[in-house]
Amino acid sequence: MGFIKEILPLREQASIRDRWLKTRLETIIPELLQREDIDMWIVICREYNEDPVLLSLLPATSMSARRRTILLFARADDAVERLTLSRYGYEGFYESVWEPDEEGQLECLARIVRERDPKRIGINASGTFAFGDGISHTEFQLVSDALGEPYSTRLITAENLCVGWLERRLPEEIIAYPRLVETGHQIIARAFSTDVIHPGLTCTDDVVWWMRQTMQEAGLSAWFQPSIDIQAPGQTYEDTENPRKTIMPGDLLHCDMGFHYLGLATDQQQHAYVLRQGESAAPPGLEAALQDGNRLQDIHMEEMQVGRSGNEVLRAVLERAKNEGIRPQVYTHPLGVHGHAAGPLVGLWDRQEDLPGVGDYPLYADTVYSIELNITRSVPEWEGQDARIMLEEDAVLTDGKMRWLDGRQESFYLIG
């Protein structure tokens, strides 16, 4: 793995993640509770049926809930109490307030709530965001019954709090993120080279598994199976039944890959061209298609502005691109703790229109996105056959504007 810059040892990774977590708990949680006007936030779940936000709230060595884990955040004047009602504590992160030998776990929860008398109690129940819908039916009933009147009637959705917590990045995380994206680019560059691909012998699945194995051996965790596909004269992006998988000269290759490192995710798509005998570059028609893709990226980045909804961004990008003669599709998603992460969606590949709820959520500062899109363009050298350029690069919205975390693809990788 000499081509990948050093991946930190697990112990050092855990130390960094825990340092970030303490800062996040001390700074982001109070701000979000105030923003959403929530006096108390209850996160409750059982082992192996974890709430989507739970592990992001626990230290790095916590790999699941234990039995029933309850975390409680309570606003008190200008401070926020961070409490745990769990058999196993999280020293340094939460104050343990449950004595199992003295009272039941849910009885302790009810007592804590009565003592603090919150007016608005957030729980993770949402019909819009999966990230805000982590409380199970059973746990909801148990909490509601334990609290009783009047507190059970004060339960409200904490969906925007969950999304806000997951999407917000610290300055330290934003500084570290380009290193992750650079690592992804390094893996793609090696995959799209003669070190991995021998035209006429190598199949797309060979490259897929090389990428997956490379991530594993480097200490990176793939969050989805990578993919490699071929476009060529006579084989389009729509040929899904028995497509040719052996890589040949003249092929346009496309990859999609992403991984987790330091608790954060990447997601990237790029292209390579396999040179024919005597060629030193891709056909001009393909080069023009890539330029269309880059132009769509430019438009998209300009339209991503704090306060605008995902739907507003989508409409603006599609209108501008079409006015310039580009055939666009946009399906950008947030990136962070998860791959398809918490925050506003900007289109879906199969729904290029407003998305109720998930598309209405606004863009906030200090958030990261996978700018995912494609363009379609006729290629003269392919007798007018359409080629699709599918690009995905990671970017951050900070200091009032979008910027790439580690650049983008502006020329094809050339193989051969």
Side-chain angles (χ1 to χ4, degrees), residues 129-378:
F129 294 102
F131 301 103
D133 197 34
I135 190 169
S136 71
H137 177 73
T138 297
E139 298 304 295
F140 173 79
Q141 286 193 318
L142 289 173
V143 169
S144 182
D145 291 345
L147 296 187
E149 295 290 345
Y151 298 103
S152 62
T153 62
R154 300 180 186 179
L155 297 173
I156 62 170
T157 178
E159 59 183 359
N160 286 353
L161 196 162
C162 293
V163 172
W165 163 256
L166 290 170
E167 73 175 347
R168 180 76 62 81
R169 302 272 67 82
L170 295 174
E172 299 93 321
E173 294 174 300
I174 292 173
I175 291 170
Y177 226 132
R179 177 69 190 84
L180 280 70
V181 181
E182 180 189 16
T183 299
H185 286 153
Q186 290 169 343
I187 294 172
I188 293 171
R190 180 59 66 92
F192 281 159
S193 76
T194 53
D195 290 335
V196 176
I197 295 175
H198 189 304
L201 296 177
T202 306
C203 295
T204 54
D205 286 346
D206 298 329
V207 186
V208 165
W209 283 105
W210 180 90
M211 296 177 91
R212 180 72 184 275
Q213 189 69 39
T214 297
M215 286 185 273
Q216 179 79 13
E217 292 177 2
L220 308 169
S221 176
W223 64 270
F224 64 94
Q225 180 75 350
S227 65
I228 301 286
D229 55 71
I230 296 171
Q231 296 177 69
Q235 180 163 317
T236 73
Y237 51 83
E238 295 176 331
D239 293 336
T240 57
E241 292 188 12
N242 300 315
R244 173 171 56 82
K245 292 190 173 184
T246 301
I247 296 170
M248 300 293 290
D251 286 348
L252 176 66
L253 305 182
H254 161 261
C255 74
D256 190 357
M257 63 156 285
F259 57 79
H260 278 105
Y261 177 52
L262 293 175
L264 299 171
T266 69
D267 199 1
Q268 296 160 302
Q269 296 180 49
Q270 294 192 339
H271 288 271
Y273 178 73
V274 185
L275 295 169
R276 297 178 184 272
Q277 188 70 30
E279 286 184 322
S280 59
L286 289 181
E287 297 282 5
L290 180 57
Q291 290 173 15
D292 277 359
N294 288 154
R295 178 56 187 152
L296 182 58
Q297 289 175 319
D298 291 338
I299 294 170
H300 195 342
M301 294 283 274
E302 292 167 6
E303 296 296 338
M304 295 280 282
Q305 300 170 16
V306 171
R308 302 185 77 181
S309 71
N311 289 332
E312 290 173 326
V313 172
L314 177 69
R315 290 196 298 267
V317 172
L318 293 180
E319 181 179 3
R320 286 182 60 186
K322 290 175 182 177
N323 287 341
E324 293 187 19
I326 297 171
R327 286 189 274 165
Q329 283 189 315
V330 172
Y331 33 100
T332 283
H333 59 83
L335 193 67
V337 176
H338 303 88
H340 294 151
L345 285 186
V346 184
L348 291 170
W349 69 268
D350 55 346
R351 291 184 62 185
Q352 293 291 282
E353 71 247 9
D354 282 10
L355 302 172
V358 291
D360 294 321
Y361 188 85
L363 280 70
Y364 285 95
D366 300 327
T367 50
V368 174
Y369 301 87
S370 191
I371 304 298
E372 187 175 8
L373 46 78
N374 74 62
I375 66 90
T376 303
R377 185 179 177 118
S378 174

Side-chain angles (χ1 to χ4, degrees), residues 87 119 220 388:
R87 186 168 290 275
K119 300 300 183 288
L220 308 169
R388 177 168 289 178

Side-chain angles (χ1 to χ4, degrees), residues 17-67:
R17 291 178 61 182
D18 285 351
R19 187 166 66 245
W20 288 350
L21 175 60
K22 280 194 176 182
T23 303
R24 290 176 59 82
L25 291 172
E26 291 167 358
T27 59
I28 296 177
I29 290 291
E31 178 187 337
L32 292 176
L33 287 171
Q34 182 176 13
R35 186 188 85 182
E36 299 302 323
D37 192 22
I38 291 177
D39 302 308
M40 180 177 286
W41 183 28
I42 299 172
V43 180
I44 178 172
C45 56
R46 285 177 289 171
E47 195 166 356
Y48 305 129
N49 190 28
E50 282 80 19
D51 186 304
V53 304
L54 180 75
L55 294 183
S56 72
L57 293 164
L58 297 181
T61 52
S62 300
M63 300 178 183
S64 70
R66 299 296 297 274
R67 300 189 184 179

